[in-house]
Amino acid sequence: NNVLLFGPPGTGKTKLARQICVGTVGADQYELVTASADWSTFDTVGGYQTTSENRLKFEPGVVLDRFQADAKGMPANEWLIIDELNRADIDKAFGSLFSALTGESVTLPFDDSDGDPIEILDATRTDTLVAPNRYFIPEDWRMLATMNTLDKTSLYEMSYAFMRRWAFVPVGIPDLPAREDGDDSALESLVADYVAVWAANGGVPKADHHYETVGRIWRAVNDQRAIGPAIVEDIYEHVAAAPSTETADYVSPIIMYVFPQLEGLRRNELEHLIEKLEMIVDDKTGELWTVAR
């Protein structure tokens, strides 16, 4: 099946999809696109476009474009990553691809410049000659897609017919250790593991005096709304240079990076969260409450 990675924001779904493609088919053998509410089959499958000679010519969309290497129609096998898949109106954008996604051959309602019908052929059609109007889908070709679960109810829904053509793989957040007898050393150790990766990849300093506070913020937010480590990294980067937790500005990154993820929380849930955050970061100015209101 094609693979759809879903989970909370900031869990690295897109990066994981990239790494899968690089590790499987190579860095130059895949394409990343972002879905849009404006998508139609013109964007995914293709359609007629006017040439400089004022003639209509079929141009492949982002999906079909993965299967031909040149103007002669030589087969290709580039994988496709579709970021934020459910931002597209699925039936409008993928309707004519439903059968092709299950390995069936499809003839599209388009002709090439020679008048030959555009065909999507499955991997079993090895006896068919290569031609510019034929798009061969290799058996090992895959689409990968990502979906933010927080957007699931506010964007386009997926039909069951479309969903059964995908394997849904959850990309979750780690289990954050609970506080035991006033000790958060386990949580601090978890944040330290993440900081080690961030420091290796992006040059973020290792400031262990911030680990516990950052971890407590993460755990408090997750009690109401799950967020991934990428958002926590933004918070950490903002405070890492501060020499102590007393001089660090934790309020600003919470407002900048966490608050946008809290849309849709009930008032009592938001109030409960801010009370916990206020105790963690000692917001003397009351800015958390002001912005939340």
Side-chain angles (χ1 to χ4, degrees):
N1 285 1
N2 299 295
V3 177
L4 193 148
L5 306 173
F6 70 96
T11 51
K13 298 179 290 295
T14 303
K15 185 174 183 179
L16 176 58
R18 283 181 177 274
Q19 290 179 332
I20 291 171
C21 288
V22 170
T24 308
V25 295
D28 59 346
Q29 291 297 310
Y30 75 93
E31 185 76 16
L32 171 67
V33 298
T34 302
S36 164
D38 297 328
W39 268 14
S40 67
T41 52
F42 183 87
D43 301 280
T44 57
V45 180
Y48 291 125
Q49 289 189 8
T50 305
T51 66
S52 56
E53 293 83 22
N54 287 325
R55 299 181 61 187
L56 291 179
K57 179 183 179 182
F58 178 81
E59 291 291 340
V62 293
V63 177
L64 287 195
D65 205 31
R66 311 277 68 79
F67 303 126
Q68 285 190 0
D70 54 35
K72 296 181 180 179
M74 294 304 296
N77 184 10
E78 289 185 356
W79 284 23
L80 178 65
I81 301 173
I82 303 179
D83 209 18
E84 305 291 350
L85 177 65
N86 57 322
R87 294 189 180 278
D89 186 335
I90 299 300
D91 289 337
K92 182 177 74 172
F94 291 90
S96 57
L97 280 174
F98 275 26
S99 297
L101 292 179
T102 55
E104 301 291 336
S105 296
V106 178
T107 300
L108 300 178
F110 302 105
D111 295 332
D112 67 3
S113 54
D114 295 326
D116 298 318
I118 303 296
E119 298 177 289
I120 305 175
L121 303 179
D122 68 88
T124 65
R125 300 288 296 275
T126 55
D127 59 331
T128 308
L129 294 176
V130 170
N133 67 305
R134 295 177 180 140
Y135 295 81
F136 294 87
I137 301 182
E139 189 174 0
D140 61 348
W141 179 78
R142 293 294 183 273
M143 276 194 294
L144 282 79
T146 68
M147 184 176 72
N148 186 338
T149 48
L150 291 188
D151 291 337
K152 183 68 172 70
T153 58
S154 60
L155 299 176
Y156 290 105
E157 294 294 326
M158 297 180 182
S159 66
Y160 288 107
F162 184 78
M163 288 193 292
R164 73 180 181 85
R165 287 155 170 81
W166 296 79
F168 282 68
V169 179
V171 181
I173 58 174
D175 293 327
L176 301 181
R179 192 178 185 93
E180 294 185 6
D181 300 325
D183 181 22
D184 264 325
S185 57
L187 179 64
E188 187 176 348
S189 176
L190 177 65
V191 174
D193 290 341
Y194 275 96
V195 172
V197 176
W198 301 334
N201 291 337
V204 178
K206 294 183 178 180
D208 55 6
H209 50 284
H210 290 298
Y211 295 173
E212 180 180 345
T213 304
V214 169
R216 292 177 64 195
I217 292 172
W218 192 3
R219 186 173 58 199
V221 175
N222 277 356
D223 287 342
Q224 300 295 340
R225 177 63 56 79
I227 60 172
I231 296 173
V232 181
E233 181 182 6
D234 291 334
I235 298 173
Y236 177 79
E237 287 184 350
H238 190 92
V239 301
S244 69
T245 55
E246 289 75 20
T247 58
D249 174 18
Y250 285 101
V251 173
S252 293
I254 289 174
I255 291 172
M256 289 189 293
Y257 306 125
V258 175
F259 271 24
Q261 306 300 328
L262 304 180
E263 284 291 327
L265 283 184
R266 295 184 176 91
R267 183 184 182 90
N268 65 315
E269 295 172 333
L270 187 56
E271 289 176 345
H272 182 63
L273 173 57
I274 295 176
E275 288 172 357
K276 295 173 71 173
L277 291 174
E278 192 177 33
M279 293 175 61
I280 296 170
V281 303
D282 191 22
D283 178 23
K284 296 182 176 64
T285 64
E287 191 173 2
L288 290 174
W289 286 104
T290 301
V291 176
R293 290 190 184 99

